[in-house]
């Protein structure tokens, strides 16, 4: 079968930098010195040098963008049920209990079912997907996720013909989430996708990052990742997935529909009403880079939006 | 002797305020040197300097009503330095945005702020604060007389612009009060109190109340 351009590139085990090397890479690089750098890279990743353009080298995404540091991915993120502070959320979320955990899949399906975390982890082959993540606030990262396409789970429960949308709900645990009872947000966090978006192979349920189980602040134990949409669509710590006939209410779209559309596709041509979305700051880089239409995944997902006016349905 | 003693501790308070006003910059410089500005240093610095500017501006505006209500005329002296520090931090805030974040790429900056009231409001406030800063010298004040007083009342417009800028900077919807509004709402509340205290009926009554509840203290001097 011909490989589709958007598929995550299969990475053979010998191509992956071992974790102990990865985690001590700075020290290692320092020890190697600048002169040894080229030889080291060439020696470590022969496959990368020979690979065809557009495929991911280890340590980078399909566009050749370098992975964002593990410390940044896990130390800088939004999880408003804990706090609105992106840099203290990791501490506040540390005691979040994610085992036992279950995800109920119901609504317009032939086989409604509650999956335990073990069933999710062992019932679906976990694969690596290196995706760009673009936050609506104007920053971005490149993150190596472990997980599996959402369509594999949906195929098990078999959506009925009436199912048109998929509604997701996050856990809301007041005892463990400091901000859970805030009057400023209509928690629980909810998100939604059109069924064809949910069935797209790029859409995954992630269970890990950097070959580690998801840390709580990153949405443990299971979260959605939709790489061509703004980060707030990628709902964290999912407890319920419902197949529904109509467009479901979602948190940010409920708060400010004029600012956060249901689709929320990354689009440099459609500004947030209060700030531009034309550029972004890649965490770890200085300066700004241009934001890509559909976050660079337009070739893969453009057909989902044929005939739609994306400035109206943002 | 009595007078000098009073002036002495007021001087110390002045030193304390100036030292306090440079602390945020010292903190940022040390954090930068220790590589401790977080994962998004531009955002960290912009938030930090923005908050400092709001705090110093509100403190500056609090001086006059506080001096009136609590009958502490010397508090008025701090109005000007605190306002100058507000202008300094607002300037650093804008510099972080224009120079560090956007590399002084003017077309890009313009495309960011055109039709974006959020940034334009902040920019308008900055312009006012800078104009007030460069016209804050005593000689200019004396020369311009009444005109100077009117010009410097623009600080209230700047404060309103700054609070609007702050409220618009966070994600959410202001009218339904859904979003990350805690800090900007506190700032808006303080400004509201400051404005209320400028209403003669209110501050006169408060002054009376304060005069009654605080019994004449024995003169420590």
């Amino acid at each position: 079968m011909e490989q589709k351009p958007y598929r995550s590139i299969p990475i053979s085990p010998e191509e992956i930098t071992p974790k102990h090397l990865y985690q001590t890479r700075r020290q290692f690089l320092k020890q190697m010195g600048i002169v040894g750098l080229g030889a080291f890279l060439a020696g470590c990743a022969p496959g990368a040098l020979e690979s065809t353009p557009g495929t991911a080298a280890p340590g980078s995404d399909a566009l050749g963008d370098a992975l964002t540091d593990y410390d940044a991915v896990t130390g800088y993120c939004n999880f408003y049920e804990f706090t609105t502070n992106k840099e203290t959320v990791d501490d506040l979320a540390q005691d979040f209990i994610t085992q036992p955990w279950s995800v109920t899949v119901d609504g317009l399906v032939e086989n409604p079912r509650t999956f335990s975390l073990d069933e999710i982890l062992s019932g679906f082959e976990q694969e690596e997907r290196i995706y760009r993540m673009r936050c609506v606030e104007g920053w971005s990262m490149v993150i190596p996720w472990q997980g599996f396409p959402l369509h594999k789970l949906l195929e098990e429960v078999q959506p009925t013909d009436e199912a048109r949308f998929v509604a997701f709900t996050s856990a809301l645990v007041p005892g463990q989430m400091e901000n859970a009872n805030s009057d400023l947000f209509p928690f629980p966090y909810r998100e939604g996708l059109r069924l064809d978006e949910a069935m797209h192979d790029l859409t995954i349920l992630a269970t890990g990052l950097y070959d580690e189980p998801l840390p709580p602040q990153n949405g443990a134990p299971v979260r959605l990742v939709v790489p061509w949409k703004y980060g707030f669509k990628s709902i964290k710590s999912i407890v319920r997935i419902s197949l529904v006939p109509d467009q479901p209410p979602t948190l940010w779209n409920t708060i400010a529909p004029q600012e956060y559309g249901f689709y929320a596709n990354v689009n440099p041509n459609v500004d947030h009403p209060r700030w531009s979305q034309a550029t972004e700051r890649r965490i770890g880089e200085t300066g700004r880079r241009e934001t890509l239409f559909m976050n660079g995944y337009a070739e893969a997902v453009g057909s989902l939006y044929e005939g739609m006016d994306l400035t109206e349905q943002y | 002797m009595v007078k000098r003693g009073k002036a002495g501790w007021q001087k110390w308070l002045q030193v304390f305020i100036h030292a306090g006003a440079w602390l945020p910059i010292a903190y940022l410089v040390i954090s930068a040197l220790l590589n401790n500005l977080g994962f998004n240093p531009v955002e960290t610095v912009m938030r930090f300097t923005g908050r400092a500017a709001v705090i110093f501006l509100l403190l500056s505006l609090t001086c006059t009503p506080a001096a009136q209500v609590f009958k502490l005329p010397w508090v008025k002296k701090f109005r000007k330095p605190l306002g100058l520090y507000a202008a300094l931090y607002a300037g650093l805030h804008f510099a972080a945005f224009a120079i560090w974040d956007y590399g002084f790429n003017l077309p890009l900056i313009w495309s960011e702020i055109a039709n974006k009231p959020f940034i334009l409001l902040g920019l308008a406030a900055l312009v006012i604060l800078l104009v007030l800063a460069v016209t804050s010298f005593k000689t200019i004040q004396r020369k311009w007389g009444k005109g100077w007083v009117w010009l410097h009342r623009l600080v209230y417009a700047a404060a309103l612009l700054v609070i609007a800028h702050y409220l618009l900077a966070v994600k959410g919807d202001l009218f339904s009060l859904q979003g990350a509004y805690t800090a900007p709402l506190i700032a808006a509340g303080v400004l509201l109190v400051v404005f209320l205290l400028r209403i003669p009926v209110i501050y006169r009554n408060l002054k009376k109340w304060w005069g009654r509840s605080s019994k004449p203290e024995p003169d420590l001097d």
Side-chain angles (χ1 to χ4, degrees):
Chain A
M1 201 182 90
E2 198 184 283
Q3 197 181 37
K4 291 180 190 166
Y6 59 79
R7 289 227 174 243
S8 79
I9 306 306
I11 292 181
S12 54
E14 66 269 19
E15 280 182 307
I16 297 172
T17 308
K19 193 172 146 201
H20 68 278
L21 270 189
Y22 170 74
Q23 283 174 337
T24 56
R25 65 201 182 283
R26 291 209 172 107
Q27 201 186 333
F28 190 32
L29 288 175
K30 270 182 206 150
Q31 287 162 358
M32 295 290 290
I34 303 292
V35 182
L37 186 66
F40 162 72
L41 286 174
C44 259
L49 297 177
E50 292 154 19
S51 64
T52 47
T55 60
S60 67
D61 73 349
L63 298 178
D65 293 357
L67 298 186
T68 304
D69 280 356
Y70 177 85
D71 291 344
V73 172
T74 57
Y76 184 86
C77 58
N78 280 315
F79 202 154
Y80 277 14
E81 288 89 327
F82 292 100
T83 171
T84 54
N85 185 325
K86 290 192 281 288
E87 304 206 31
T88 58
V89 63
D90 52 347
D91 285 336
L92 283 168
Q94 270 328 294
D95 298 326
F96 186 53
I97 297 166
T98 56
Q99 185 74 276
W101 193 273
S102 61
V103 179
T104 299
V105 188
D106 60 5
L108 302 172
V109 293
E110 302 290 353
N111 313 311
R113 198 182 142 183
T114 295
F115 292 84
S116 71
L117 182 57
D118 285 342
E119 287 170 323
I120 287 173
L121 290 171
S122 58
F124 301 94
E125 194 192 333
Q126 310 288 314
E127 53 184 283
E128 174 159 271
R129 298 283 181 104
I130 299 177
Y131 283 157
R132 292 174 293 285
M133 154 84 77
R134 167 65 155 84
C135 178
V136 75
E137 295 169 4
W139 51 269
S140 62
M141 294 181 173
V142 181
I143 304 173
W145 302 104
Q146 286 77 47
F148 59 94
L150 174 63
H151 66 74
K152 289 193 177 171
L153 182 129
L154 295 179
E155 280 153 13
E156 292 221 351
V157 295
Q158 291 186 19
T160 65
D161 291 343
E162 292 83 56
R164 311 279 305 141
F165 289 89
V166 187
F168 304 85
T169 310
S170 284
L172 185 66
V173 191
Q176 295 174 41
M177 297 167 152
E178 203 166 272
N179 214 16
N181 291 323
S182 171
D183 292 330
L184 297 176
F185 298 95
F187 294 134
Y189 200 96
R190 288 175 298 173
E191 260 308 333
L193 295 172
R194 225 169 49 195
L195 185 57
D196 57 346
E197 296 176 322
M199 295 296 288
H200 196 283
D201 192 63
L202 277 185
T203 305
I204 62 165
L205 286 178
T207 56
L209 59 83
Y210 270 108
D211 290 320
E212 297 257 18
L214 282 180
Q217 67 273 20
N218 292 92
V222 59
R223 66 171 294 171
L224 186 70
V225 179
V226 194
W228 71 94
K229 293 175 180 286
Y230 291 117
F232 68 85
K233 293 295 288 184
S234 294
I235 184 171
K236 293 172 165 179
S237 305
I238 299 171
V239 291
R240 189 170 176 201
I241 300 174
S242 297
L243 282 286
V244 292
D246 303 309
Q247 182 177 307
T250 66
L251 183 122
W252 283 106
N253 186 241
T254 306
I255 291 177
Q258 71 284 5
E259 303 196 348
Y260 308 98
F262 175 79
Y263 288 97
N265 294 319
V266 175
N267 192 341
N269 308 314
V270 177
D271 281 348
H272 185 282
R274 288 181 277 133
W275 55 79
S276 163
Q277 293 290 24
T279 60
E280 67 198 50
R281 199 181 305 133
R282 179 67 51 85
I283 299 300
E285 290 181 356
T286 49
R288 301 182 76 88
R289 47 164 77 213
E290 300 207 336
T291 289
L292 303 173
F293 180 59
M294 297 284 169
N295 207 19
Y297 300 97
E299 203 183 323
V301 299
S303 60
L304 293 171
Y305 308 106
E306 263 168 27
M308 278 174 62
D309 181 353
L310 294 177
T311 56
E312 286 298 316
Q313 292 181 289
Y314 50 84
Chain B
M1 288 309 278
V2 168
K3 277 245 152 86
R4 199 187 293 159
K6 203 164 197 171
W9 75 262
Q10 282 172 28
K11 198 142 230 155
W12 278 111
L13 189 62
Q14 210 153 3
V15 169
F16 176 77
I17 284 174
H18 283 283
W22 287 98
L23 270 183
I25 289 178
Y27 172 82
L28 281 182
V29 170
I30 290 168
S31 298
L33 291 175
L34 295 176
N35 202 9
N36 201 18
L37 286 174
F39 297 107
N40 196 344
V42 182
E43 184 187 52
T44 305
V45 169
M46 281 182 63
R47 288 194 172 179
F48 196 86
T49 51
R51 278 183 192 156
V54 170
I55 289 169
F56 284 112
L57 186 58
L58 291 175
L59 282 175
S60 171
L61 292 178
T62 310
C63 289
T64 302
Q68 283 175 335
V69 171
F70 302 120
K71 294 180 186 155
L72 302 169
W74 50 269
V75 171
K76 281 190 187 172
K77 269 196 225 156
F78 301 125
R79 187 182 161 88
K80 178 171 147 184
L82 288 168
L84 286 172
Y85 284 117
L88 172 67
Y89 282 100
L92 290 173
H93 179 67
F94 182 74
F97 163 76
I99 298 171
W100 190 6
D101 197 4
Y102 282 86
F104 219 68
N105 182 338
L106 291 177
L108 185 58
I109 292 172
W110 178 246
S111 75
E112 284 281 311
I113 65 177
N115 310 316
K116 292 286 182 292
F118 152 55
I119 299 175
L120 284 176
L121 292 174
L123 196 56
L126 175 67
V127 169
I128 292 176
L129 290 177
L130 292 181
V131 167
L132 300 194
V134 298
T135 59
S136 66
F137 299 98
K138 275 237 161 73
T139 47
I140 299 181
Q141 184 177 1
R142 263 184 233 121
K143 219 182 273 172
W144 291 7
K146 265 249 148 70
W148 188 92
V149 174
W150 277 105
L151 178 70
H152 279 247
R153 283 187 179 145
L154 278 177
V155 72
Y156 295 105
L160 284 172
L161 290 166
V162 162
I163 298 298
H165 172 73
Y166 199 3
L167 286 166
L168 286 173
V170 302
K171 284 189 300 182
D173 180 67
L174 192 52
F175 297 102
S176 59
L177 270 190
Q178 298 280 284
Y181 282 111
T182 313
L185 280 180
I186 290 171
V190 172
L191 184 63
L192 183 69
V193 170
V194 166
F195 276 125
L196 288 176
L197 286 177
R198 304 313 296 266
I199 299 172
V201 184
I202 292 179
Y203 83 69
R204 272 195 216 116
N205 278 308
L206 269 175
K207 216 160 140 181
K208 260 188 229 156
W209 167 81
W210 179 253
R212 241 179 288 145
S213 65
S214 67
K215 297 213 173 78
E217 286 173 42
D219 199 342
L220 293 175
D221 305 301

